[in-house]
């Protein structure tokens, strides 16, 4: 994160001391549970020495051996669950930035039981998810549909969505602006659906503990409506230490991902496209405070009879950090589905180069799905070494990416071909009964 936007080291120390004193004097006013890595726990324990660790697990994390190939090395990571007062979570985020020079990477849980259930799942987890049934065939055999829709994509629409979202003072999960931004997106998606078009619904999903809603547009599948493909990105934005009125444009993080989703929807509606499987486009609330919206939604999908065939996360698509175009993050994602994405680029978008990188912790909503056994992928604008340092500051504006839609367009195109190919059945089984593999 941009160091300039952070309070001084001395100020964060003082705040931490005050936090520690207050916490030691009173029972937790608003208890919350987070899971976090061992190094982030060490930061928290320096800040609040009496932090209660309620559980610990080891989990496999797959990291690329090199940026140039999908070959992976699996590391074992320690994850702790702790009880913390809700109000100190943002300070923890500041302290982790300050002391570890990276983002916080903690996941929020509504109860101790939920935090412990997550640890349990992580301890059993394979680095590769499997809880959701057999993998799809990943056949790439819809060139006609893809070629009909791809040319409809337009950079000007991508920029218009980014501008619309960045115009909100911030999109914080607790602020009136964050609530209004969710309503704006729901209206925008509704307006893309032609009058008389059947099988398309836009809904807003409420969460407990904060007023911002997630937004979902679904296109019901023609022959396999109970099988779905999820494309998502977070709609909230944050700036370090932000309050109700603080400026957090979040143009790259993550108006740019929502813009790509919106353009995919626009093109599918303009082309009157009907998938075989149900497509779900989701703008998640409250990602920036521990993946809260997506955790609720992924947990809910575990209880449904609908089978989620794959999940694509678009979070930061506008800022080109390296000469490589599309970076597939290998941790908290499915290697199988990542291979499918690389093949899609190869077949339909061969001018774009693909690299491999990793956050090293649960850094975006794909982890909410992965941690529950769903196959998720996270194509990103940059390697983790060269990500946009203006995120989470008031400088995360379109100016940081030269007001250009060029990089965003690549991710909108990839999302489109992913949705069309995974949203349809392999040629051999279209109209037939079961899809075996
Ligand atoms: N878009 C970022 C994640 C990110 C940043 C990915 C840089 C790759 C490079 C996301 O919005 C974010 O800020 N995530 C938090 C973690 C979350 C669980 C609070 C982070 O990274 O600290
Ligand atoms: Zn962020």
């Amino acid at each position: 994160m941009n160091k300039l936007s952070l309070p001084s080291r001395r100020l964060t120390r003082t705040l931490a001391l005050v936090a520690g004193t207050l916490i030691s004097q009173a029972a937790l006013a608003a208890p919350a549970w987070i899971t976090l890595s061992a190094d982030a726990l060490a930061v928290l324990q320096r800040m609040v020495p009496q932090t209660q660790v309620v559980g610990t697990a080891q989990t496999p994390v797959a990291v690329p051996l090199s940026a140039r190939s999908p070959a992976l090395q699996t590391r074992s990571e320690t994850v702790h669950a702790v009880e913390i007062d809700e109000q100190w979570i943002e300070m923890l985020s500041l302290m982790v930035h300050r002391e570890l020079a990276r983002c916080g990477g903690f996941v929020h849980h509504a109860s101790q039981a939920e935090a412990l259930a997550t640890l349990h799942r992580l301890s059993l987890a394979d680095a590769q998810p499997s809880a959701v049934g057999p993998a799809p065939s990943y056949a790439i055999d819809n060139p006609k549909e893809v070629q009909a829709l791809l040319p409809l994509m337009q950079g000007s629409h991508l920029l218009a969505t980014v501008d619309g979202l960045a115009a909100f003072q911030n999109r914080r999960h607790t602020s009136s602006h964050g609530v209004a931004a969710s309503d704006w997106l729901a209206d925008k998606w509704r307006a893309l659906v032609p009058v008389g078009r059947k099988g398309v619904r836009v809904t807003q999903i409420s969460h407990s503990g904060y007023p911002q809603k997630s937004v979902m547009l679904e296109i019901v599948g023609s022959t396999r409506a109970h099988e779905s493909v999820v494309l998502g990105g977070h709609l909230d934005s944050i700036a370090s230490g932000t309050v109700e009125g603080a400026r957090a444009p979040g143009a790259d993080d993550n108006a740019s991902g929502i813009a790509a989703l919106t353009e995919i929807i626009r093109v599918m509606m303009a082309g009157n496209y009907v998938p075989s499987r149900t497509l779900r486009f989701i703008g998640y609330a409250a990602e920036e405070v521990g993946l809260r919206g997506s955790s609720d939604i992924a947990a809910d999908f575990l209880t449904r009879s609908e089978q989620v065939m794959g999940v694509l996360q678009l979070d930061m698509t506008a800022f080109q950090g390296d000469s490589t175009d599309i970076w597939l993050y290998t941790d908290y994602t499915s290697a199988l589905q990542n291979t499918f994405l690389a093949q899609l680029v190869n077949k339909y978008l061969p001018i774009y180069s693909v690299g491999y990188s990793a956050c090293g912790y649960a850094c975006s909503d794909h982890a909410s799905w992965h941690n529950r056994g769903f196959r998720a992928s996270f194509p990103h604008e940059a390697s983790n070494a060269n990500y946009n340092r203006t995120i989470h500051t008031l400088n995360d504006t379109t100016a940081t990416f030269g007001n250009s839609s060029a990089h965003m367009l690549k991710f909108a195109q990839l999302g489109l071909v992913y949705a069309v190919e995974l949203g349809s059945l392999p040629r051999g089984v279209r109209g037939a009964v079961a899809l075996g593999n």
Side-chain angles (χ1 to χ4, degrees):
M1 304 312 79
N2 189 334
K3 291 216 158 70
L4 293 176
S5 71
L6 297 175
S8 71
R9 188 177 278 272
R10 191 186 298 158
L11 177 58
T12 41
R13 286 256 162 76
T14 311
L15 289 171
L17 280 176
V18 173
T21 315
L22 290 178
I23 285 176
S24 66
Q25 283 170 356
L28 301 189
W33 291 266
I34 58 174
T35 44
L36 76 183
S37 60
D39 54 352
L41 173 66
V43 172
L44 176 60
Q45 284 174 326
R46 276 200 293 281
M47 186 176 130
V48 187
Q50 57 278 46
T51 296
Q52 288 288 321
V53 176
V54 297
T56 298
Q58 295 289 125
T59 193
V61 172
V63 294
L65 283 168
S66 102
R68 297 280 144 248
S69 97
L72 298 176
Q73 180 187 27
T74 302
R75 285 198 318 239
S76 177
E77 290 284 335
T78 305
V79 181
H80 300 283
V82 301
E83 190 179 41
I84 183 176
D85 196 289
E86 180 91 45
Q87 63 185 308
W88 306 122
I89 289 181
E90 279 190 31
M91 193 183 308
L92 171 64
S93 167
L94 283 180
M95 300 287 279
V96 171
H97 287 153
R98 168 66 61 190
E99 300 201 4
L100 304 180
R102 66 156 168 88
C103 291
F106 49 80
V107 177
H108 182 282
H109 307 276
S111 67
Q112 180 161 329
E114 199 195 278
L116 294 179
T118 299
L119 285 188
H120 183 63
R121 264 195 314 271
L122 288 175
S123 69
L124 296 178
D126 195 331
Q128 298 309 322
S130 59
V132 291
S137 75
Y138 296 123
I140 300 180
D141 53 7
N142 291 270
K144 271 240 261 334
E145 289 82 348
V146 168
Q147 303 304 358
L149 296 177
L150 266 184
L152 303 182
M153 294 210 136
Q154 285 175 29
S156 56
H157 289 285
L158 290 162
L159 285 173
T161 304
V162 172
D163 286 340
L165 284 168
F168 289 92
Q169 183 67 3
N170 59 60
R171 300 189 300 280
R172 210 181 150 65
H173 68 303
T174 49
S175 81
S176 61
H177 314 287
V179 170
S182 163
D183 295 344
W184 180 88
L185 185 63
D187 287 344
K188 173 146 191 120
W189 284 3
R190 262 182 219 115
L192 293 176
V193 185
V195 178
R197 164 88 201 223
K198 297 268 184 300
V200 182
R201 267 194 297 271
V202 178
T203 47
Q204 279 175 292
I205 300 164
S206 299
H207 303 281
S208 66
Y210 52 92
Q212 185 177 62
K213 294 174 184 158
S214 296
V215 179
M216 178 162 72
L217 180 142
E218 80 194 283
I219 308 179
V220 178
S222 58
T223 55
R224 292 285 178 95
H226 59 288
E227 294 179 0
S228 65
V229 179
V230 171
L231 289 89
H234 66 92
L235 63 85
D236 62 323
S237 74
I238 201 167
S240 302
T242 198
V243 288
E244 162 72 25
R247 181 76 181 122
D252 190 23
D253 185 14
N254 179 34
S256 69
I258 297 290
L261 298 175
T262 304
E263 184 59 0
I264 299 167
I265 296 168
R266 191 191 68 78
V267 157
M268 286 187 166
M269 292 300 110
N272 202 21
Y273 178 69
V274 181
S276 325
R277 295 186 169 121
T278 295
L279 299 181
R280 297 183 181 279
F281 296 87
I282 309 180
Y284 304 108
E287 183 268 355
E288 297 286 12
V289 287
L291 316 179
R292 293 180 68 170
S294 58
S295 291
D296 276 3
I297 291 172
D300 182 51
F301 271 89
L302 272 182
T303 70
R304 297 192 191 198
S305 55
E306 177 177 319
Q307 202 186 341
V308 178
M309 307 307 286
V311 177
L312 192 79
Q313 173 70 3
L314 293 177
D315 180 5
M316 301 170 68
T317 70
F319 171 88
Q320 181 151 14
D322 322 72
S323 58
T324 297
D325 298 303
I326 294 171
W327 291 85
L328 299 177
Y329 277 46
T330 59
D331 57 339
Y332 298 89
T333 60
S334 155
L336 218 55
Q337 188 178 261
N338 291 341
T339 301
F340 174 54
L341 283 173
Q343 287 166 349
L344 288 172
V345 174
N346 217 12
K347 162 129 187 180
Y348 292 120
L349 307 164
I351 56 169
Y352 303 148
S353 52
V354 172
Y356 298 86
S357 189
C359 273
Y361 58 93
C363 67
S364 190
D365 302 300
H366 55 285
S368 293
W369 294 93
H370 173 89
N371 285 345
R372 290 174 177 81
F374 295 97
R375 278 175 285 272
S377 294
F378 180 34
H380 192 69
E381 65 186 14
S383 68
N384 202 237
N386 294 323
Y387 75 86
N388 180 351
R389 276 0 191 227
T390 70
I391 66 168
H392 304 179
T393 77
L394 46 72
N395 297 320
D396 181 4
T397 64
T398 56
T400 62
F401 45 89
N403 304 307
S404 163
S405 60
H407 207 47
M408 271 190 282
L409 184 62
K410 302 167 193 170
F411 295 85
Q413 290 169 327
L414 179 58
L416 176 71
V417 303
Y418 168 83
V420 169
E421 287 291 2
L422 198 56
S424 55
L425 304 176
R427 294 223 163 266
V429 297
R430 268 168 224 179
V433 212
L435 171 58
N437 52 57

